[in-house]
Amino acid sequence: MTVVGPFGLSVRDQALEADVQSGLAAVESGLLDATKSEVPFITEAAQHLVRAGGKRFRPLLVMLAAQFGDPDAPGVVPSAVVVELTHLATLYHDDVMDEAEVRRGVPSANARWGNSLAVLTGDFLFARASHILADLGPEAVRIQAEAFERLVTGQILETAGPRDGRDPVEHYLDVLRGKTGSLVAVSCRFGAMMAGADERITAVLTQYGERLGVAFQLADDVLDIASDSHESGKTPGTDLREGIATLPVLRLQEQAAAHGRPEDLALVELLSGDLTDDARHAEALAGLRVHSALEQARRDTVRYAQEARAMLASLPECTARAALEELCDAVVHRAG
């Protein structure tokens, strides 16, 4: 048994382990190649987050989904590079929007070089991803374009907020389906499609990926409140400081509106104020860490992970399916 990929995923089959490890190594090499430029500074900026590491969650899903076809098919590794480049590009842009100072345990690109260069570096990564994608065929281009549209739409919906009368929790879950679920779903779809898997299997894996992606982001929401910077690789409470209401906050607001408990209302009021002040931010973070809303958000994470796992029931029993099932358990464990 060898531990690979994010969250310490255990691969219990030597052949699968070899395929996954070989594929991820090829992706890593592909990422470095794709982020090279004739301009040394662009290379440095573009490789900033590549070299910082990361879970490589999406490439891992590409490799595991490819096991349902030919994992050595020529399009598998390039498609994994595409989804990871796209993900990395969104991180550069997200950090600018959030004014984040830390990413993956290192200074964010915007903290190091400023917002303009961080945005342009993200654009450079999108361009490189598109260049690779063009060689994978028009269907791959269309799938990626649709996913990217959903991703951007999710970001816009998050920024705009729910319309009047819309349940804030349902709005937020829609945001996550676009912002995170869409690209995770494409990772599974590309892996299966590029490997020549059956269309039914590809469809199942795509649906699994979207649900797992939502669970993955919900686990991130919980970690943003519950963990320290060493565990999460970024500054705790970043979303709180920027006034972004993630699921624990939305569940708190829901409870406050339903029950009107004074302590809940006081915490909601604190969260609605200016949390750029370190003392107020620390007080808000401490209050959420002991509130039942955080546990409710954990239960939501479990529910989506269980839905993802249930999607796999119709797939053939194999070591790749077992690994995908274990990823659902790992996401739940990550949320505590």
Side-chain angles (χ1 to χ4, degrees):
M1 180 179 73
T2 301
V3 174
V4 300
F7 327 130
L9 172 66
S10 301
V11 175
R12 294 174 171 82
D13 178 84
Q14 288 186 348
L16 176 59
E17 175 202 331
D19 277 344
V20 170
Q21 294 282 20
S22 174
L24 290 176
V27 169
E28 209 64 27
S29 177
L31 287 170
L32 291 174
D33 286 344
T35 49
K36 287 178 182 175
S37 167
E38 294 179 356
V39 180
F41 173 73
I42 295 177
T43 301
E44 181 186 6
Q47 292 186 350
H48 180 63
L49 289 184
V50 174
R51 294 188 180 279
K55 294 174 285 293
R56 302 295 187 253
F57 181 49
R58 291 154 189 80
L60 175 64
L61 286 170
V62 174
M63 297 305 141
L64 290 175
Q67 295 294 320
F68 293 88
D70 176 11
D72 297 321
V76 172
V77 168
S79 70
V81 173
V82 165
V83 294
E84 188 66 8
L85 281 176
T86 303
H87 171 60
L88 288 170
T90 66
L91 296 185
Y92 281 82
H93 288 181
D94 281 352
D95 285 347
V96 170
M97 294 181 68
D98 298 342
E99 298 181 12
E101 296 183 357
V102 178
R103 171 69 71 175
R104 295 182 172 176
V106 300
S108 63
N110 49 297
R112 184 169 176 181
W113 294 296
N115 286 345
S116 295
L117 284 172
V119 169
L120 291 170
T121 302
D123 292 344
F124 176 80
L125 295 181
F126 282 132
R128 286 298 174 90
S130 298
H131 188 271
I132 297 169
L133 194 64
D135 292 331
L136 297 178
E139 179 68 3
V141 172
R142 182 186 64 80
I143 290 169
Q144 175 76 353
E146 289 175 352
F148 192 54
E149 178 184 345
R150 290 189 62 205
L151 192 158
V152 173
T153 299
Q155 183 64 69
I156 292 171
L157 287 174
E158 179 180 67
T159 303
R163 65 180 184 273
D164 290 345
R166 180 82 198 278
D167 177 14
V169 171
E170 284 306 312
H171 171 84
Y172 183 65
L173 292 173
D174 275 349
V175 167
L176 296 194
R177 291 181 191 105
K179 272 189 65 176
T180 305
S182 60
L183 194 57
V184 176
V186 164
S187 301
C188 294
R189 186 173 182 178
F190 273 169
M193 185 177 83
M194 295 299 167
D198 178 86
E199 287 186 9
R200 182 191 67 82
I201 289 176
T202 301
V204 168
L205 288 168
T206 302
Q207 294 175 55
Y208 159 85
E210 179 148 336
R211 288 161 176 79
L212 186 68
V214 173
F216 178 75
Q217 185 56 56
L218 291 179
D220 256 9
D221 288 357
V222 172
L223 275 175
D224 186 56
I225 302 298
S227 72
D228 57 28
S229 59
H230 175 74
E231 182 180 355
S232 65
K234 59 183 180 180
T235 305
T238 296
D239 291 326
L240 287 184
R241 193 179 293 276
E242 296 306 314
I244 299 171
T246 57
L247 195 62
V249 174
L250 294 174
R251 289 303 190 192
L252 166 66
Q253 293 171 347
E254 189 177 60
Q255 289 187 30
H259 306 295
R261 290 186 292 262
E263 60 272 25
D264 293 351
L265 294 171
L267 185 53
V268 167
E269 184 178 0
L270 176 63
L271 289 166
S272 65
D274 180 11
L275 295 183
T276 59
D277 177 78
D278 288 344
R280 289 176 60 86
H281 179 265
E283 183 183 354
L285 196 57
L288 271 176
R289 282 174 172 170
V290 298
H291 198 279
S292 60
L294 185 62
E295 181 56 36
Q296 190 174 4
R298 284 193 176 101
R299 292 196 298 271
D300 292 321
T301 304
V302 170
R303 175 166 59 87
Y304 270 91
Q306 288 175 338
E307 287 181 7
R309 187 185 182 105
M311 292 302 306
L312 299 172
S314 65
L315 296 182
E317 288 192 21
C318 60
T319 54
R321 173 180 150 179
L324 291 171
E325 289 170 342
E326 187 172 336
L327 270 180
C328 298
D329 299 336
V331 166
V332 171
H333 177 73
R334 185 166 175 259

